[in-house]
Amino acid sequence: MTEGAMLAPHATPTLPPDRVTAVLRILVLSTFVVLLNETIMVNAIPRLMREFEVTAAAAGWLSTAFMLTMAVVIPVTGWFLQRVTTRTAFGLAMALFLAGTALAAAAPTFPVLLIARVIQASGTAVMMPLLMTTLMTLVPPHDRGRVMGNITLVISVAPALGPAASGVLLQLGTWRLLFLAVLPIAGAMAFVGRRQLVNIGEPQAGPIDWLSVPLAAAGFGALVYGLSGLGAGDEATAVVPPEATTLVGAVLVGLFTWRQLALQRSSAPLLDLRALTFRHFSVALGLMCLSFMALMGAFILLPIYLQEVCGLTSLQTGLLLIPGGLTMGLLGPQVGKLYDRLGAPRLVVPGAALTALCLTLFAFTGQQTSPWLVLALHVALSAGMAFVFTPVFTSGLSVLPPHLYPHGSAILGSLQQVAAAAGTALVISVMSGRAATAAAEGADPTDALATGIRWGFGIGAMLGGLAVLVALLVRTPPVPQQPAAPEAQDEDGTTATKTAAEPA
């Protein structure tokens, strides 16, 4: 079906302004808590290796399993969010996160801790699409840039604060504090959210295609796992070579795609790929994937460079990287306001160009490079990304009709995980290969590693250059007229007061 035929008016449920503000604030703060947890384990790996007597590869699974679970669960959220109420989805997400956090805090063995991380990630995977879908449903198109900017602040700052927060907590006591500190905050958000959230729209009952579920889980899971294995250099020790796992994952994702296209002709698919028929959404998706690959590659290389080449501690590294995360987050609201005034192209193209330039300059760093210069480049890189992500998310999702918001959010979330794994695998593989070559040619270990890191940043710069080309295709979708909208319902099923909805 063509884009023009699919386009439907954006319906905004009628809620009092204070209720709109409360709903979005609850979801944003809850998302901040669950995203903070995603990177909070970074500095705890050495201590966990000693306490549980596990290898570095095994301890690394605490992060890999989190990412794998996100990749498996997110594709299903497009179907799930259309068939349950807002409060039910929020309650499930927070319940899973709280259960995983409590289990992790009390974990007596490493396998239990690993299972706890999987449970936590399941809740996080539901929360992110829920936030994006609710925002697109509640906020009028002409104000989405500003509100999306506020959400970018949360999404950017939370992962950046994770390593620093973990460094401080580990100085105060045991690694269990990482979970005990989060538990009461998450519990308070769950309690307040269940009391104040209202249901947006009506759930749509419908069957689920049970063949699509294992195809999505196995396909996206194997693809992310295989790419992560390539990036970690596990070819020699893995039972199944990462190349084979990646190939199997790609084939299964292809079968999943074929199955969804077939279901679109006869019934409701698990993940509605008709969102990809909207050119603005597809272009935004491509730019997001390229930018995320470049960004994740840089984020993986920077700690290695700062600690192994520059000799900084893990806490110093975390503190040095915080200003970049804060820059991206604090710029988000301002970029959102500019988007509402100027549109996407005037922001995305300069942002992508600045990102590519910073990655190119990182490719010239070495042992003698001042950490202050690294800090300045990281802040500039983060600023460039802020001018890319907020307009891309806003313009990409805004072009979709309301019934495709959950599916568009799920597609974005799923491909983010794949792009993160692919970017990490690519830059780490290049870094390892070039470092090994330099060592074989007589370079000392530090110089060899610095050479490999420079090549890794060079790959990131190439990805950034491709992102600039795609950014030239980005357009701002027209703002549709606001028709009469379905009413939101409170917990007791009563209709909320009818008045014009305003964004938070």
Side-chain angles (χ1 to χ4, degrees), residues 51-52 98-110 112-113 116 175-177 179-180 183:
E51 179 160 337
F52 290 116
L98 284 168
T101 304
L103 182 61
T109 62
F110 183 79
V112 174
L113 179 59
W175 60 267
R176 298 181 191 275
L177 283 176
F179 303 103
L180 292 173
L183 194 59

Side-chain angles (χ1 to χ4, degrees), residues 298-397:
F299 280 2
I300 290 294
L301 292 174
L302 275 172
I304 299 174
Y305 168 73
L306 291 171
Q307 294 180 49
E308 303 300 328
V309 177
C310 297
L312 301 184
T313 66
S314 57
L315 180 58
Q316 288 172 329
T317 299
L319 293 174
L320 187 143
L321 296 178
I322 282 180
L326 291 176
T327 298
M328 187 185 297
L330 294 174
L331 276 178
Q334 305 308 315
V335 173
K337 293 176 183 178
L338 289 174
Y339 171 85
D340 292 330
R341 289 171 46 203
L342 304 177
R346 295 181 183 179
L347 304 176
V348 170
V349 175
L354 177 60
T355 299
L357 174 62
C358 291
L359 290 170
T360 301
L361 293 176
F362 269 124
F364 292 95
T365 56
Q367 276 184 278
Q368 306 305 317
T369 303
S370 168
W372 294 107
L373 177 58
V374 175
L375 172 63
L377 284 177
H378 183 241
V379 169
L381 174 67
S382 301
M385 285 295 181
F387 277 85
V388 171
F389 284 138
T390 297
V392 163
F393 281 123
T394 308
S395 64
L397 289 174

Side-chain angles (χ1 to χ4, degrees), residues 188-364:
M189 293 309 308
F191 177 76
V192 173
R194 287 291 293 174
R195 286 178 60 89
Q196 295 191 12
L197 275 182
V198 296
N199 294 323
I200 309 301
E202 291 287 344
Q204 302 173 5
I208 184 172
D209 179 58
W210 291 108
L211 178 59
S212 295
V213 175
L215 280 176
F220 284 100
L223 187 58
V224 171
Y225 175 69
L227 290 170
S228 300
L230 289 173
D234 291 342
E235 291 89 341
T237 59
V239 177
V240 179
E243 296 89 348
T245 307
T246 303
L247 179 60
V248 170
V251 171
L252 291 176
V253 169
L255 291 174
F256 171 77
T257 301
W258 172 81
R259 179 67 177 171
Q260 304 317 296
L261 293 175
L263 289 173
Q264 285 172 185
R265 294 191 292 267
S266 58
S267 60
L270 181 70
L271 188 62
D272 199 328
L273 300 181
R274 279 172 288 203
L276 297 175
T277 64
F278 293 82
R279 180 179 178 276
H280 293 310
F281 178 77
S282 297
V283 169
L285 187 65
L287 178 56
M288 183 275 295
C289 288
L290 285 171
S291 300
F292 216 69
M293 287 177 67
L295 180 65
M296 290 306 297
F299 280 2
I300 290 294
L301 292 174
L302 275 172
I304 299 174
Y305 168 73
L306 291 171
Q307 294 180 49
E308 303 300 328
V309 177
C310 297
L312 301 184
T313 66
S314 57
L315 180 58
Q316 288 172 329
T317 299
L319 293 174
L320 187 143
L321 296 178
I322 282 180
L326 291 176
T327 298
M328 187 185 297
L330 294 174
L331 276 178
Q334 305 308 315
V335 173
K337 293 176 183 178
L338 289 174
Y339 171 85
D340 292 330
R341 289 171 46 203
L342 304 177
R346 295 181 183 179
L347 304 176
V348 170
V349 175
L354 177 60
T355 299
L357 174 62
C358 291
L359 290 170
T360 301
L361 293 176
F362 269 124
F364 292 95

Side-chain angles (χ1 to χ4, degrees), residues 83-103:
R83 283 156 179 81
V84 300
T85 64
T86 308
R87 299 182 75 255
T88 299
F90 175 82
L92 176 64
M94 294 306 294
L96 287 170
F97 183 78
L98 284 168
T101 304
L103 182 61

